[in-house]
Amino acid sequence: MDIKLISSNKSFGGYQKVFEHFSPTVQCNMKFGAYLPPAESENEKFPVLFYLSGLTCTEQNVITKSGYQRFAAQYKIIVVCPDTSPRNCNIPNEDEKWNVGSGASMYVNAQQEPWNKHYQMFTYITDELYQLVQNTFPVIQDKISISGHSMGGHGALLCALLCPGKYKSVSLFAPVCSISNSPTLIDGLKTLVGEEKDILQKWDTTFLVKEYDGPEMEILIHVGSDDEFLIKDLLIDDFVEAANKSKDNKIKTKLFLEEGYDHGYYFISTFIEEHFKFHSSKLS
């Protein structure tokens, strides 16, 4: 698959790059960021951390706001940051609402027309981009982890729960943990997959975690006490309660409620090193 280099900037001895490629899965051009840490030899390979961003974001938000490059270099991890949805697909009302369409893929595979032609983001993340990264960069192929923020936290959980064993570790910043009960995200989800309760719950991580039967998994979660979405949209306590009842107690959660922090990137940049430490301990 041909990929085009859009930009490359040296950062902490490595390179923050942005690429573009045509995706057969979502039938449009997609961008993603990739940070390549400094290598000590031409043959050195690295573990990978996928980072999924939240509603309305592009690949640029985490690249420019989180400061993750310092820690990716320090812990020698390739970081891959995809865009949050297909774009410019000529779908009616694609850009009309902030929580439906562009920037709001919910990281699901759409079933409703006309969205289903393009909005196959779950398959794009877990299959196409996963393979593209392994085939393009110096990757240790069995050492791949995933993280995400808000809607992207929901996406990271989806990927881990529906692809058991594919990701060595999972960490989340203020994740949406029960999307079918989120007032902010439910319209976007229904637009993509329909309104049937069973279908909505198929993409809801609080329901999925109850049925998880893969390898043991530890999930690190940080959220701010002043997060404006904490009570109505994130529903983290419901997920933790369900995870504690998971089959054979295979899901372990480490939840940190951080006093005074909100939902944005000042919060993420404060605690992102803790997430790199966590992933490094699982990937090393």
Side-chain angles (χ1 to χ4, degrees), residues 108-247:
V108 302
N109 285 340
Q111 296 172 254
Q112 300 296 299
E113 294 184 351
W115 305 92
N116 57 354
K117 179 180 178 181
H118 299 284
Y119 278 66
Q120 302 294 312
M121 280 293 286
F122 177 78
T123 298
Y124 173 73
I125 297 295
T126 60
D127 187 1
E128 182 181 337
L129 186 61
Y130 189 95
Q131 291 300 324
L132 177 61
V133 167
Q134 295 207 34
N135 293 337
T136 305
F137 304 114
V139 171
I140 303 173
Q141 298 204 352
D142 63 344
K143 293 189 175 182
I144 297 180
S145 293
I146 195 163
S147 181
H149 170 229
S150 194
M151 179 187 76
H154 149 79
L157 274 178
L158 271 185
C159 295
L161 293 172
L162 292 176
C163 303
K166 195 162 199 170
Y167 304 95
K168 294 293 185 184
S169 50
V170 184
S171 77
L172 313 167
F173 296 95
V176 174
C177 288
S178 186
I179 192 171
S180 68
N181 292 300
S182 164
T184 300
L185 297 189
I186 189 61
D187 287 347
L189 182 63
K190 287 181 176 179
T191 297
L192 297 172
V193 304
E195 300 194 8
E196 292 184 19
K197 184 177 180 181
D198 289 348
I199 299 298
L200 295 171
Q201 291 181 355
K202 174 186 174 183
W203 298 105
D204 189 312
T205 58
T206 292
F207 290 91
L208 290 172
V209 74
K210 298 173 185 177
E211 307 298 326
Y212 179 79
D213 194 25
E216 290 188 2
M217 179 164 52
E218 185 176 353
I219 302 171
L220 174 65
I221 306 173
H222 277 86
V223 65
S225 65
D226 287 4
D227 190 314
E228 61 269 39
F229 299 105
L230 177 61
I231 303 301
K232 292 185 178 181
D233 280 295
L234 303 187
L235 305 173
I236 297 171
D237 289 341
D238 293 348
F239 176 81
V240 170
E241 182 179 352
N244 289 339
K245 299 176 182 177
S246 61
K247 187 175 181 179

Side-chain angles (χ1 to χ4, degrees), residues 88-101:
N88 304 311
C89 298
N90 296 317
I91 298 173
N93 305 317
E94 182 181 14
D95 301 312
E96 187 173 289
K97 295 182 179 179
W98 70 285
N99 59 349
V100 177

Side-chain angles (χ1 to χ4, degrees), residues 18-64:
V18 175
F19 297 91
E20 184 175 53
H21 71 109
F22 178 79
S23 164
T25 303
V26 301
Q27 289 291 299
C28 70
N29 287 334
M30 292 291 290
K31 290 181 180 178
F32 67 92
Y35 179 79
L36 305 178
E40 296 178 13
S41 70
E42 289 185 2
N43 298 322
E44 187 174 4
K45 294 186 177 183
F46 305 93
V48 177
L49 176 64
F50 284 87
Y51 178 94
L52 307 186
S53 291
L55 194 66
T56 75
C57 291
T58 70
E59 78 287 343
Q60 286 296 321
N61 294 71
V62 68
I63 289 172
T64 59

